[in-house]
Amino acid sequence: MTTAPASQVDSHADILAIGARVMRTEGEALLLFAASLSDSFVKAVDTMYAAKGRVIMSGMGKSGHVAAKIAATLASTGTPSQFVHPAEASHGDLGMITPDDVVVMLSNSGETSELSDIIAHTRRFSIPLIGVASRPQSTLLQSADIALVLPPAPEACAIGMAPTTSTTMTLALGDALAVAIMEKRGFKPTDFRVFHPGGKLGAQLLRVEALMHSGEALPLTGAQAPMGDTLLVMTAKSFGVVGITDAEGHLAGIITDGDLRRNMVGLMDKTAANVMHASPLTIRPDALAAEALGIMNERKITCLFVVDEAHTPVGLIHIHDCLRAGVA
């Protein structure tokens, strides 16, 4: 009976050294790549930015996984993009690639046979082709309209064959292209929210207007309203606060539970204007909900009235609304 050879890596220090070596190898390659960027990178950004259709990402094997990630990054930052598998393209999916599109094809060697049908398709229909590979004389880069060449750098594995450094450089190139296009487009946090409505990221980009209570739900009364009527409004709306408006409908003040306690003596003989706290903190409807939450936490209050440019109350946001939406 034969047994597997013992591992040559068996110490804590050896494993840490391997991890550090891989990271240094890939990090040095990225610095080399950054220094080697040329006009081809600028042309690629301009071509992808100008696409009337989508940026089609493609690659086989590990390059295909990287291409799919780049497509997702582009799509989430305002550049319509789609991954097309080269093998599936040869069996009908070429119809996904139109003359309005731009194709970005990844291949470390530039000689991956499965890419040939997409390359031929782009040449036949004059579809811009951006090739990414490590060999300038490869079929892919010789066929491409724009060639992005990966600099010579060793793979990070001990045998120098597993795609490691090369895929890291390709992934970083995709991020660089996406961010350059994003900034060229003037992509804003509000645009980012459109493509990231779910999860923590989406919650951080929610606007106050998306969470605020409005219309009949608002606890409002006039400045001259008797405190008896004011208490009824405050109780019915269940926010523990009531907004006080002046004759023009502007928010003049608020009354909280604390204000009631401070005015207990002769409370029912007073008007809302006698009890209210003037010039309360407010927020605009287009502000980020995270900003509203920050104000409430800092001032130790539970809600904010939302006012428009004329200082007319249009909503109310409660700290519980922010917490339920995942804003933190």
Side-chain angles (χ1 to χ4, degrees), residues 260-325:
L260 296 180
R261 289 192 294 272
R262 286 186 289 272
N263 287 272
M264 285 298 295
V265 178
L267 178 65
M268 301 308 289
D269 297 326
K270 299 177 180 179
T271 65
N274 301 139
V275 178
M276 73 179 190
H277 173 77
S279 303
L281 288 171
T282 60
I283 197 162
R284 293 284 300 278
D286 57 352
L288 291 175
E291 179 184 346
L293 180 62
I295 293 172
M296 289 186 277
N297 282 332
E298 180 182 355
R299 301 302 292 268
K300 295 180 171 57
I301 56 178
T302 59
C303 58
L304 285 171
F305 273 94
V306 184
V307 298
D308 62 15
E309 294 180 356
H311 209 65
T312 302
V314 295
L316 181 143
I317 185 167
H318 196 281
I319 193 168
H320 290 163
D321 303 319
C322 296
L323 297 178
R324 276 194 295 268

Coordinates of all heavy atoms in Angstrom, one line a residue, residues 260-325:
L260 N -44.2 69.5 27.5 CA -45.4 69.3 28.3 C -45.1 69.3 29.8 O -45.8 69.9 30.6 CB -46.2 68.0 27.9 CG -46.7 68.0 26.5 CD1 -47.4 66.6 26.2 CD2 -47.7 69.1 26.2
R261 N -44.0 68.5 30.1 CA -43.7 68.5 31.5 C -43.2 69.8 32.1 O -43.5 70.2 33.2 CB -42.6 67.4 31.7 CG -43.0 66.0 31.5 CD -42.0 65.0 32.0 NE -40.8 65.0 31.2 CZ -40.6 64.3 30.1 NH1 -41.6 63.5 29.7 NH2 -39.5 64.4 29.4
R262 N -42.5 70.6 31.2 CA -42.0 71.9 31.7 C -43.1 72.9 31.8 O -42.9 74.0 32.4 CB -40.9 72.4 30.7 CG -39.6 71.6 30.9 CD -38.5 72.3 30.0 NE -38.7 72.0 28.6 CZ -38.3 70.9 28.0 NH1 -37.6 70.0 28.6 NH2 -38.5 70.8 26.7
N263 N -44.3 72.6 31.2 CA -45.4 73.6 31.3 C -46.6 73.0 31.9 O -47.8 73.4 31.6 CB -45.7 74.0 29.8 CG -44.7 74.9 29.2 OD1 -44.8 76.1 29.3 ND2 -43.7 74.3 28.5
M264 N -46.4 72.1 32.9 CA -47.6 71.5 33.5 C -48.5 72.4 34.2 O -49.7 72.3 34.2 CB -47.1 70.4 34.5 CG -46.6 69.1 33.9 SD -47.8 68.3 32.9 CE -49.0 67.8 34.2
V265 N -47.9 73.5 34.9 CA -48.7 74.4 35.6 C -49.5 75.3 34.6 O -49.0 76.0 33.7 CB -47.9 75.4 36.5 CG1 -48.7 76.4 37.2 CG2 -47.1 74.6 37.5
G266 N -50.9 75.2 34.7 CA -51.7 75.9 33.8 C -51.7 75.5 32.3 O -52.0 76.3 31.5
L267 N -51.3 74.3 32.1 CA -51.1 73.8 30.7 C -52.3 74.0 29.8 O -52.2 74.5 28.7 CB -50.7 72.4 30.7 CG -50.5 71.7 29.3 CD1 -49.3 72.4 28.6 CD2 -50.2 70.2 29.4
M268 N -53.5 73.7 30.4 CA -54.7 73.7 29.6 C -55.2 75.1 29.3 O -56.1 75.3 28.5 CB -55.8 72.8 30.2 CG -55.4 71.4 30.4 SD -54.8 70.6 28.9 CE -56.3 70.4 28.0
D269 N -54.6 76.1 30.0 CA -55.0 77.5 29.7 C -54.1 78.1 28.7 O -54.3 79.3 28.3 CB -54.9 78.3 31.0 CG -55.9 77.8 32.1 OD1 -57.0 77.3 31.7 OD2 -55.5 77.8 33.3
K270 N -53.2 77.4 28.1 CA -52.2 77.9 27.2 C -52.5 77.5 25.7 O -53.3 76.6 25.5 CB -50.8 77.5 27.5 CG -50.3 77.9 28.9 CD -48.9 77.4 29.2 CE -48.5 77.8 30.6 NZ -47.2 77.3 31.0
T271 N -51.9 78.2 24.8 CA -52.0 77.9 23.4 C -50.7 77.1 23.0 O -49.7 77.1 23.7 CB -52.2 79.1 22.5 OG1 -51.0 79.9 22.6 CG2 -53.4 79.9 22.9
A272 N -50.7 76.6 21.8 CA -49.5 75.8 21.3 C -48.3 76.8 21.3 O -47.2 76.3 21.6 CB -49.8 75.2 20.0
A273 N -48.5 78.0 20.9 CA -47.4 79.0 20.8 C -46.8 79.3 22.1 O -45.6 79.6 22.2 CB -47.9 80.3 20.2
N274 N -47.6 79.2 23.2 CA -47.0 79.4 24.5 C -46.1 78.3 25.0 O -45.2 78.5 25.9 CB -48.1 79.6 25.6 CG -49.1 80.7 25.3 OD1 -50.3 80.6 25.4 ND2 -48.5 81.8 24.8
V275 N -46.3 77.1 24.5 CA -45.6 75.9 25.0 C -44.5 75.4 24.0 O -43.5 74.8 24.5 CB -46.6 74.7 25.2 CG1 -45.9 73.5 25.7 CG2 -47.7 75.2 26.2
M276 N -44.6 75.8 22.8 CA -43.7 75.2 21.8 C -42.3 75.6 22.0 O -42.0 76.7 22.5 CB -44.2 75.6 20.4 CG -43.9 77.0 20.0 SD -44.4 77.4 18.3 CE -43.7 79.1 18.1
H277 N -41.4 74.8 21.5 CA -40.0 75.1 21.4 C -39.7 75.6 20.0 O -39.9 74.9 19.0 CB -39.1 73.8 21.6 CG -37.7 74.0 21.3 ND1 -36.8 74.6 22.3 CD2 -36.9 73.6 20.3 CE1 -35.6 74.6 21.8 NE2 -35.6 74.0 20.6
A278 N -39.3 76.9 19.9 CA -39.2 77.6 18.6 C -37.9 77.1 17.8 O -37.0 76.6 18.4 CB -39.2 79.1 18.7
S279 N -37.9 77.3 16.5 CA -36.8 77.0 15.6 C -36.2 75.6 15.9 O -35.1 75.4 16.2 CB -35.7 78.0 15.8 OG -36.2 79.3 15.6
P280 N -37.1 74.6 15.7 CA -36.6 73.2 15.9 C -35.7 72.7 14.8 O -35.6 73.3 13.7 CB -37.9 72.4 15.9 CG -38.8 73.2 14.9 CD -38.5 74.6 15.2
L281 N -34.9 71.7 15.1 CA -34.1 71.0 14.1 C -35.0 70.4 13.0 O -36.0 69.8 13.3 CB -33.2 69.9 14.7 CG -32.1 70.4 15.6 CD1 -31.5 69.2 16.3 CD2 -31.0 71.1 14.8
T282 N -34.6 70.6 11.8 CA -35.3 70.0 10.6 C -34.3 69.4 9.6 O -33.1 69.6 9.8 CB -36.2 71.1 9.9 OG1 -35.3 72.1 9.4 CG2 -37.2 71.7 10.9
I283 N -34.9 68.8 8.6 CA -34.0 68.2 7.6 C -34.8 68.3 6.3 O -36.0 68.3 6.2 CB -33.6 66.7 7.9 CG1 -32.4 66.3 7.0 CG2 -34.8 65.8 7.8 CD1 -31.7 65.1 7.6
R284 N -34.1 68.3 5.2 CA -34.7 68.4 3.8 C -35.0 67.0 3.3 O -34.4 66.0 3.7 CB -33.7 69.0 2.8 CG -33.4 70.5 3.1 CD -34.6 71.4 2.7 NE -34.8 71.2 1.3 CZ -34.1 71.9 0.3 NH1 -33.2 72.7 0.7 NH2 -34.4 71.7 -0.9
P285 N -36.0 66.8 2.5 CA -36.4 65.5 2.0 C -35.4 64.8 1.1 O -35.4 63.6 1.1 CB -37.7 65.8 1.2 CG -37.7 67.2 0.9 CD -37.0 67.9 2.0
D286 N -34.5 65.6 0.5 CA -33.5 65.0 -0.4 C -32.2 64.6 0.4 O -31.2 64.2 -0.2 CB -33.2 65.9 -1.6 CG -32.7 67.3 -1.2 OD1 -32.7 67.6 0.0 OD2 -32.3 68.0 -2.1
A287 N -32.2 64.9 1.7 CA -31.0 64.5 2.5 C -30.9 63.0 2.6 O -32.0 62.3 2.5 CB -31.0 65.2 3.8
L288 N -29.7 62.4 2.9 CA -29.6 61.0 3.1 C -30.2 60.7 4.5 O -30.1 61.4 5.4 CB -28.1 60.6 3.1 CG -27.4 60.6 1.7 CD1 -25.9 60.3 1.9 CD2 -28.1 59.7 0.8
A289 N -30.9 59.5 4.5 CA -31.5 59.1 5.8 C -30.4 58.9 6.9 O -30.6 59.1 8.1 CB -32.2 57.8 5.6
A290 N -29.2 58.5 6.4 CA -28.0 58.4 7.4 C -27.7 59.7 8.0 O -27.3 59.7 9.2 CB -26.8 57.8 6.6
E291 N -27.9 60.8 7.3 CA -27.6 62.1 7.9 C -28.7 62.4 9.0 O -28.4 62.9 10.0 CB -27.7 63.2 6.8 CG -27.4 64.6 7.3 CD -27.6 65.7 6.2 OE1 -27.6 65.3 5.0 OE2 -27.7 66.9 6.6
A292 N -29.9 62.1 8.7 CA -31.0 62.3 9.6 C -30.7 61.5 10.9 O -30.9 61.9 12.0 CB -32.3 61.9 9.0
L293 N -30.3 60.2 10.7 CA -30.0 59.4 11.9 C -28.9 59.9 12.7 O -28.9 59.9 13.9 CB -29.7 57.9 11.4 CG -29.4 56.9 12.5 CD1 -30.6 56.7 13.4 CD2 -28.9 55.6 11.9
G294 N -27.9 60.5 12.0 CA -26.8 61.1 12.7 C -27.2 62.2 13.6 O -26.7 62.4 14.7
I295 N -28.0 63.1 13.0 CA -28.5 64.2 13.8 C -29.3 63.8 15.0 O -29.2 64.3 16.1 CB -29.4 65.1 12.9 CG1 -28.6 65.8 11.8 CG2 -30.1 66.2 13.7 CD1 -29.4 66.5 10.8
M296 N -30.2 62.8 14.8 CA -31.0 62.3 15.9 C -30.2 61.7 17.0 O -30.4 61.9 18.2 CB -32.1 61.3 15.4 CG -33.2 62.0 14.6 SD -34.6 60.9 14.2 CE -33.9 60.1 12.7
N297 N -29.2 60.9 16.6 CA -28.3 60.3 17.6 C -27.5 61.4 18.4 O -27.3 61.3 19.6 CB -27.3 59.3 17.0 CG -28.0 58.0 16.6 OD1 -28.9 57.6 17.3 ND2 -27.5 57.3 15.6
E298 N -27.0 62.3 17.7 CA -26.1 63.4 18.3 C -26.9 64.2 19.3 O -26.4 64.6 20.3 CB -25.5 64.3 17.2 CG -24.6 65.4 17.7 CD -24.1 66.3 16.6 OE1 -24.3 66.0 15.4 OE2 -23.4 67.3 17.0
R299 N -28.2 64.6 18.9 CA -29.0 65.5 19.7 C -29.9 64.7 20.7 O -30.7 65.3 21.4 CB -29.8 66.4 18.8 CG -29.0 67.3 17.9 CD -28.0 68.2 18.7 NE -28.7 69.1 19.4 CZ -29.0 70.4 19.0 NH1 -28.6 70.7 17.8 NH2 -29.6 71.2 19.7
K300 N -29.8 63.4 20.6 CA -30.6 62.5 21.5 C -32.1 62.8 21.4 O -32.8 63.0 22.4 CB -30.1 62.7 22.9 CG -28.7 62.2 23.2 CD -28.3 62.3 24.6 CE -26.9 61.6 24.9 NZ -25.8 62.1 24.0
I301 N -32.6 62.8 20.1 CA -34.0 63.0 19.8 C -34.4 61.8 19.0 O -33.6 61.1 18.4 CB -34.3 64.3 19.1 CG1 -33.5 64.4 17.8 CG2 -34.0 65.5 20.0 CD1 -33.7 65.7 17.0
T302 N -35.7 61.7 18.9 CA -36.3 60.5 18.2 C -36.9 60.8 16.8 O -37.2 59.8 16.1 CB -37.3 59.8 19.1 OG1 -38.4 60.7 19.3 CG2 -36.8 59.3 20.4
C303 N -37.1 62.0 16.5 CA -37.6 62.3 15.2 C -37.3 63.7 14.7 O -36.8 64.6 15.5 CB -39.2 62.1 15.2 SG -40.0 63.2 16.4
L304 N -37.4 63.9 13.4 CA -37.1 65.2 12.8 C -38.3 65.6 11.8 O -38.7 64.7 11.1 CB -35.8 65.2 12.0 CG -34.5 65.2 12.7 CD1 -33.4 64.9 11.7 CD2 -34.3 66.5 13.4
F305 N -38.7 66.8 11.9 CA -39.6 67.3 10.8 C -38.9 67.5 9.5 O -37.7 68.0 9.6 CB -40.4 68.5 11.3 CG -41.6 68.2 12.0 CD1 -41.6 68.2 13.4 CD2 -42.8 67.9 11.4 CE1 -42.7 67.9 14.2 CE2 -44.0 67.6 12.1 CZ -43.9 67.6 13.5
V306 N -39.5 67.2 8.4 CA -38.9 67.4 7.1 C -39.6 68.6 6.5 O -40.8 68.6 6.4 CB -39.1 66.1 6.3 CG1 -38.4 66.3 4.9 CG2 -38.6 64.8 7.0
V307 N -38.8 69.5 6.0 CA -39.3 70.8 5.5 C -38.8 71.0 4.1 O -37.7 70.6 3.7 CB -39.0 72.0 6.4 CG1 -39.7 71.8 7.8 CG2 -37.5 72.2 6.5
D308 N -39.6 71.7 3.3 CA -39.1 72.1 1.9 C -38.4 73.4 2.0 O -38.1 73.9 3.0 CB -40.3 72.1 1.0 CG -41.4 73.2 1.3 OD1 -41.1 74.1 2.2 OD2 -42.5 73.1 0.8
E309 N -38.1 74.0 0.8 CA -37.3 75.2 0.7 C -38.0 76.4 1.4 O -37.4 77.3 1.9 CB -37.1 75.5 -0.8 CG -36.2 74.5 -1.5 CD -35.9 74.9 -2.9 OE1 -36.5 75.9 -3.4 OE2 -35.1 74.2 -3.6
A310 N -39.4 76.3 1.5 CA -40.1 77.4 2.1 C -40.3 77.2 3.6 O -41.0 77.9 4.3 CB -41.5 77.6 1.4
H311 N -39.7 76.1 4.1 CA -39.8 75.7 5.5 C -41.2 75.3 5.9 O -41.6 75.4 7.0 CB -39.3 76.9 6.4 CG -38.7 76.4 7.7 ND1 -37.6 75.7 7.8 CD2 -39.2 76.4 9.0 CE1 -37.3 75.3 9.0 NE2 -38.3 75.8 9.8
T312 N -41.9 74.8 4.9 CA -43.2 74.2 5.1 C -43.0 72.7 5.4 O -42.3 72.0 4.7 CB -44.1 74.3 3.8 OG1 -44.2 75.7 3.5 CG2 -45.4 73.7 4.1
P313 N -43.6 72.2 6.5 CA -43.4 70.8 6.8 C -44.1 69.8 5.8 O -45.3 70.0 5.5 CB -44.1 70.7 8.2 CG -45.1 71.8 8.3 CD -44.5 72.9 7.5
V314 N -43.3 68.9 5.3 CA -43.8 68.0 4.3 C -43.7 66.5 4.8 O -44.2 65.6 4.1 CB -43.0 68.1 3.0 CG1 -43.3 69.5 2.3 CG2 -41.5 67.9 3.2
G315 N -43.0 66.3 5.9 CA -42.9 65.0 6.4 C -42.3 64.9 7.8 O -42.0 66.0 8.4
L316 N -42.2 63.7 8.3 CA -41.6 63.5 9.6 C -40.8 62.2 9.5 O -41.4 61.2 9.1 CB -42.6 63.5 10.8 CG -42.0 63.3 12.2 CD1 -42.8 64.2 13.2 CD2 -42.1 61.8 12.6
I317 N -39.6 62.1 10.0 CA -38.8 60.9 10.0 C -38.5 60.5 11.4 O -38.0 61.3 12.2 CB -37.6 61.0 9.1 CG1 -36.9 59.6 9.0 CG2 -36.6 62.0 9.6 CD1 -35.8 59.5 7.9
H318 N -38.8 59.3 11.7 CA -38.5 58.8 13.1 C -37.3 57.9 13.1 O -37.0 57.2 12.1 CB -39.8 58.0 13.6 CG -39.8 57.8 15.1 ND1 -39.1 56.8 15.7 CD2 -40.5 58.4 16.1 CE1 -39.3 56.9 17.0 NE2 -40.2 57.8 17.3
I319 N -36.6 57.8 14.2 CA -35.4 57.0 14.3 C -35.7 55.5 14.1 O -34.9 54.8 13.5 CB -34.7 57.2 15.7 CG1 -33.3 56.6 15.7 CG2 -35.6 56.6 16.8 CD1 -32.5 57.0 16.9
H320 N -36.9 55.1 14.4 CA -37.3 53.7 14.2 C -37.4 53.4 12.7 O -37.2 52.3 12.2 CB -38.6 53.4 14.9 CG -38.5 53.3 16.4 ND1 -39.6 53.4 17.2 CD2 -37.4 53.3 17.2 CE1 -39.2 53.4 18.5 NE2 -37.9 53.3 18.5
D321 N -37.8 54.4 11.9 CA -37.9 54.2 10.4 C -36.5 53.9 9.9 O -36.3 53.1 9.0 CB -38.5 55.5 9.8 CG -39.8 55.9 10.3 OD1 -40.7 54.9 10.5 OD2 -40.1 57.1 10.5
C322 N -35.5 54.7 10.4 CA -34.1 54.5 9.9 C -33.6 53.1 10.3 O -33.0 52.4 9.5 CB -33.2 55.5 10.5 SG -33.6 57.2 9.9
L323 N -33.9 52.7 11.5 CA -33.4 51.4 12.0 C -34.1 50.2 11.3 O -33.4 49.2 10.9 CB -33.6 51.3 13.5 CG -32.9 52.3 14.4 CD1 -33.2 52.2 15.8 CD2 -31.4 52.2 14.1
R324 N -35.4 50.4 11.0 CA -36.1 49.3 10.3 C -35.5 49.1 8.9 O -35.5 48.0 8.3 CB -37.6 49.6 10.2 CG -38.3 49.1 11.5 CD -39.8 49.2 11.2 NE -40.3 50.5 11.0 CZ -40.8 51.3 11.9 NH1 -40.8 50.9 13.2 NH2 -41.2 52.5 11.7
A325 N -35.1 50.3 8.3 CA -34.6 50.2 6.9 C -33.1 49.8 6.9 O -32.5 49.6 5.8 CB -34.7 51.6 6.2

